[in-house]
Amino acid sequence: QAQLIESGGGLVQAGGSLRLSCAASGRTFSSYNMGWFRQAPGKEREFVAAISWSGSRTSYLDSVKGRFTISRDTAKNTVYLQMNSLKPEDTAVYYCAAGSSFNRLPVGSAEYWGQGTQVTVSS
């Protein structure tokens, strides 16, 4: 059974960094576009970043541009989200997703979703 498993979340002070990982298992995701989403308490889930299946295209939420970087290691079937200069408003559960359409992934169109990892940024 194909699944995505996130890790790397935790508690960090404002200005700190975390690197999230999304490990895929059960099948290869090399042909899928991959994305990160987040959901804060009481808020809707929002798109954070996406990377195309080839790694040649990326897309980011405006508020994370210049601070977050998405990357993928096809050989390890893993996607990463490097988060720097973290702010309290980045606090949320972060989810990994895999979708067949890069353009539709930011609106939540994905075939696979992970269970999420908690990121908490203290002020």
Side-chain angles (χ1 to χ4, degrees), residues 35-120:
W36 287 95
F37 294 76
R38 66 187 182 187
Q39 187 167 20
K43 294 187 176 181
E44 297 285 318
R45 182 181 64 195
E46 68 175 351
F47 164 78
V48 176
I51 187 167
S52 63
W53 66 270
S54 66
S56 62
R57 300 169 67 188
T58 57
S59 179
Y60 294 94
L61 177 68
D62 283 347
S63 63
V64 308
K65 285 181 181 177
R67 300 190 297 124
F68 291 11
T69 302
I70 188 171
S71 62
R72 67 190 301 164
D73 186 331
T74 301
K76 294 183 178 180
N77 224 14
T78 301
V79 176
Y80 305 97
L81 185 68
Q82 177 66 44
M83 305 186 295
N84 298 328
S85 302
L86 283 161
K87 304 175 181 180
E89 51 264 43
D90 294 319
T91 295
V93 177
Y94 282 71
Y95 298 90
C96 176
S100 56
S101 170
F102 179 79
N103 291 331
R104 294 176 58 192
L105 191 55
V107 298
S109 178
E111 284 74 36
Y112 300 94
W113 291 90
Q115 294 299 307
T117 185
Q118 176 70 46
V119 171
T120 303

Side-chain angles (χ1 to χ4, degrees), residues 10-47:
L11 174 64
V12 63
Q13 289 188 332
S17 298
L18 283 174
R19 189 176 81 155
L20 304 183
S21 298
C22 172
S25 64
R27 64 160 294 156
T28 178
F29 283 82
S30 60
S31 62
Y32 278 84
N33 306 284
M34 303 298 293
W36 287 95
F37 294 76
R38 66 187 182 187
Q39 187 167 20
K43 294 187 176 181
E44 297 285 318
R45 182 181 64 195
E46 68 175 351
F47 164 78

